[in-house]
Amino acid sequence: MRVNVIIPVFNRLEDTRKVLEALRRQTFVDALTIVVVNDGSTDGTAEYLQSQGDVVEIRGDGNLWWGGAIAEGLKHVLPSCQAEDYILLLNNDTWFDENYVDTLVQTSKANGEAAVGSVIHEEEKDPPIVSIGPRININRFAIWDLLSELSKAQQRSPDSQYRVDALSGRGTLYPALLFRKYGGARPRLLPHYMADYEIAMRFARAGVPLIVSTKAIIYSPPVYGNDVSRLSWKKRLFGRRSPHNVFQRLIFYSLVGSPVQRLTAPFRMAYFFCARVLLGSMTSRFKKFAFSFVRARRLGELRRHGVSVGRDVVLYGAPLLQRHPDSEIHLDDRVVLCSDSRFTALALNHPVKIATIRAGSKISIGADSGISGATIVSAVRISIGAEVLMGANVTIFDTDFHPIRPEGRRHSDVEADIKTAPVHIGDNVFIGTNALILRGTEIGRDSIVAAGAVVRGNFPAGAIIAGNPAKVVGSVYTTSQERPGSQPDGEHENSNI
């Protein structure tokens, strides 16, 4: 019994070296025939293969693709194959342990000479398994991986084997006689993508079980297959390098399934393509309309409450607004108010709240500032500069809300008894989560306020402010940079809460 390994390659010499070394470590090594189909590599692969005495090289001109390479490999190995022999299809960007081939062979024998595929693992991924094998709904032209049907617990501890609807070319063992009975690759019809699935599904129609052994593990780099994200829509739909090639998918579905499914494939595919394109377009338009409608409604609500709103202001969730009739609230251009935890990394304790509680009070937020779940309450004036960023749940107010005197603390109606002082935050200041900015605070541009800091006083530009009470602990400027309006660290007002 021999296992004939066919590996199509195009460049990636280092990957080819790696897979050949993995094959040489197999417990089955004395019963392996290794055939590498080199389809026009230009990176030294040909010279390397010539020096490998245990490898048969078949050369192509760069136009074989996967299907043509497999067809050439089968032409070479099938004439000498015996009834008990196997054929293993591999990609060169894979590696495996020393029992890999033996596991495939034993699984095939245990399942009545089944076709056996491998699971794919990615190193440094938890759980490592990223693919088991395809599920295919021929009627609806849908393909997905069986892995998506498993729970997290099953993904960590899968069964020893699974039945699948097709097998890929990334490590699949076939009894050699299947190719003599039912034919091999069809490169004229399927030169590349879907060719491996078609072979497996043709054998399955003849009653051959398609099994994936989770003990037969292929290790793979994080990105395998062909990335089409940068292709134009034309190349994505019609390019030979694209797995979404419309013509190859049509040919594939015309070759698999029942006779009725194959006969009706062109009509069904046209129907589903149009339906999905139209439905996708309608869904996308509806989402844009719904988002625009909600955004316009929320901005309209702010304007109805007397808030001055600049251009392109963005609201994630509805903010809480409380405005005294004789006060001002202004949001400059492109301000972002996030009141929904789904749109920020940290959980918000509450929506953004903006409140002016006395006549004449004013809150202004500069252009391009971003605020998440903050509470901003003004009795006199709070001015926030441009490009200010606030982490979750920051609190800013310019009033003590209650008198200091014990006898008037609960029910005082005399505003003069309540201490107030304006708050000013300069441009490009970053305020960390849960920071508290008290009355009378002035923070210079470019400064950073640490998470949880309790801040009161005057702070220079570029200050790093931390603690309770907060103090300057550093500067964001290097010694070669000018500090606009700076003053010595010790010259800010000490917090006195």
Side-chain angles (χ1 to χ4, degrees), residues 263-278:
L263 184 65
T264 59
F267 308 102
R268 291 185 296 111
M269 189 170 181
Y271 167 77
F272 278 106
F273 179 80
C274 293
R276 286 168 182 169
V277 168
L278 290 175

Side-chain angles (χ1 to χ4, degrees), residues 448 450 459 462-467 469-476 489 492:
I448 294 176
F459 297 86
I464 300 175
I465 306 163
K471 297 181 180 180
V472 174
V473 297
S475 174
V476 300
D489 290 349
H492 68 275

Side-chain angles (χ1 to χ4, degrees), residues 52-232:
Q52 307 304 302
D54 58 345
V55 175
V56 176
E57 180 193 15
I58 299 175
R59 292 196 183 183
D61 60 1
N63 295 305
L64 290 178
W65 300 85
W66 189 89
I70 294 300
E72 291 300 314
L74 290 173
K75 286 180 186 178
H76 178 82
V77 301
L78 280 178
S80 59
C81 281
Q82 303 299 313
E84 68 276 11
D85 289 352
Y86 293 90
I87 292 174
L88 172 60
L89 306 183
L90 277 177
N91 281 7
N92 68 334
D93 58 339
T94 56
W95 60 97
F96 31 81
D97 63 29
E98 63 273 11
N99 296 313
Y100 171 70
V101 176
D102 186 55
T103 299
L104 291 173
V105 171
Q106 297 307 320
T107 303
S108 178
K109 290 180 179 295
N111 288 275
E113 297 300 313
V116 184
S118 313
V119 294
I120 299 175
H121 281 203
E122 281 185 16
E123 291 184 337
E124 301 180 0
K125 189 175 178 66
D126 184 30
I129 188 169
V130 295
S131 175
I132 293 178
R135 291 287 199 199
I136 300 179
N137 186 323
I138 297 175
N139 290 325
R140 300 187 65 84
F141 300 92
I143 301 175
W144 66 97
D145 200 286
L146 187 148
L147 181 69
S148 65
E149 300 178 1
L150 304 185
S151 67
K152 292 295 183 181
Q154 290 173 316
Q155 291 178 17
R156 291 185 178 278
S157 182
D159 294 341
S160 60
Q161 61 185 45
Y162 292 93
R163 294 289 291 264
V164 292
D165 296 328
L167 294 168
S168 77
R170 298 180 64 84
T172 297
L173 184 83
Y174 292 103
L177 288 181
L178 295 179
F179 292 99
R180 287 182 174 171
K181 282 186 177 181
Y182 308 112
R186 297 172 171 176
R188 291 186 178 180
L189 297 175
L190 293 171
H192 199 61
Y193 287 106
M194 319 298 287
D196 48 358
Y197 286 6
E198 190 277 327
I199 292 172
M201 295 178 77
R202 192 189 330 148
F203 294 167
R205 285 202 308 274
V208 178
L210 303 184
I211 305 292
V212 171
S213 170
T214 58
K215 306 300 181 184
I217 300 171
I218 285 283
Y219 297 96
S220 181
V223 177
Y224 59 91
N226 198 13
D227 181 14
V228 298
S229 60
R230 297 183 180 180
L231 296 182
S232 66

